[in-house]
Amino acid sequence: MPRFALSVPQLSMISNLAMNFVYDRWGRLLQTFEQEWLSPANLQQYAHTIHDHGAPLPNCWGFIDGTVRRVCRPGQHQRVLYNGHKKVHAIKFQSVVAPNGMCANLYGPVEGKRHDSTMLARSRLLESLQQHSRAPDGSILCIYGDPAYPLRLQLQAPFRGAQVNEQQKNWNKAMSAVRCSVEWVFGDILNYFKFLDFHKNLKIQLSAVGKMYIVCVLLQNSRSCFYGSTTSNYFECPPPLIQEYFS
């Protein structure tokens, strides 16, 4: 208020207007794989990068995971938003992350009680991967997730069950070491947009909590284009130029 000489309602209206503009104009970038930086040639290069950093899978170009974003305890519909695993009221998002630190796909928000497999089915991500997750020669590329996800040609998951042998355990460990990069992206989003972590101010039905997170993911992708990220530095995989991303 002292800096801009505006009241709280005016500042809120301005920030909401800017948020809506960014979401309406560029929100599609988190919903489609039809982008230059996600071309078959680039996806194959991402797969080579991940494989070179210790992943046993030679055709894995990215990682999928769900993130729980805690919100203020609602007055109504508490059971719908309550996440039994984290034991908090929350909304959830499903993210696909590339080794250059960019969020390639984002689905949400959904109710905090929903399982990751439910988000996968609702997002129709597998259908998009069947169409776009291919190398230039037509061979299948995949993404990798945790044990909550089913096993498909375009979606791989760890070995599970009581009969996992030592070789399979080592395979799981090697894939887990590179899959942790998806958590680094989640951490970067909260680090640079700290208000997303103040759950007492994130009130469902009083503010656009889900839209806030989506716009912050877009802005974090933009920041990665300019400065890189923890993930891109680890994999030594540069993100696209800002002009390429928003073209």
Side-chain angles (χ1 to χ4, degrees), residues 14-31 93 106-109 208-219 222 245-246:
I14 292 171
S15 63
N16 285 334
L17 182 64
M19 177 179 67
N20 291 333
F21 175 78
V22 173
Y23 178 83
D24 294 338
R25 183 73 180 272
W26 292 292
R28 60 180 176 80
L29 295 178
L30 298 175
Q31 301 171 1
F93 292 87
L106 183 72
Y107 175 76
V209 178
K211 187 181 291 185
M212 288 180 188
Y213 186 82
I214 295 172
V215 170
C216 287
V217 172
L218 275 170
L219 295 179
S222 305
Y245 180 60
F246 284 104

Side-chain angles (χ1 to χ4, degrees), residues 59-60 129-130 133-135 137-142 153-155:
N59 65 333
C60 172
L129 292 174
Q130 290 171 3
S133 185
R134 293 184 179 274
D137 61 359
S139 59
I140 295 176
L141 300 177
C142 69
L153 288 176
Q154 290 82 13
L155 176 58

Side-chain angles (χ1 to χ4, degrees), residues 37 49 70 76 90 113-114 125 164 183 195 201 233:
W37 74 278
T49 298
R70 188 177 179 184
Q76 299 178 347
K113 72 173 185 178
R114 301 299 179 185
L125 177 65
V164 177
E183 302 293 344
F195 66 89
N201 288 335
N233 292 336

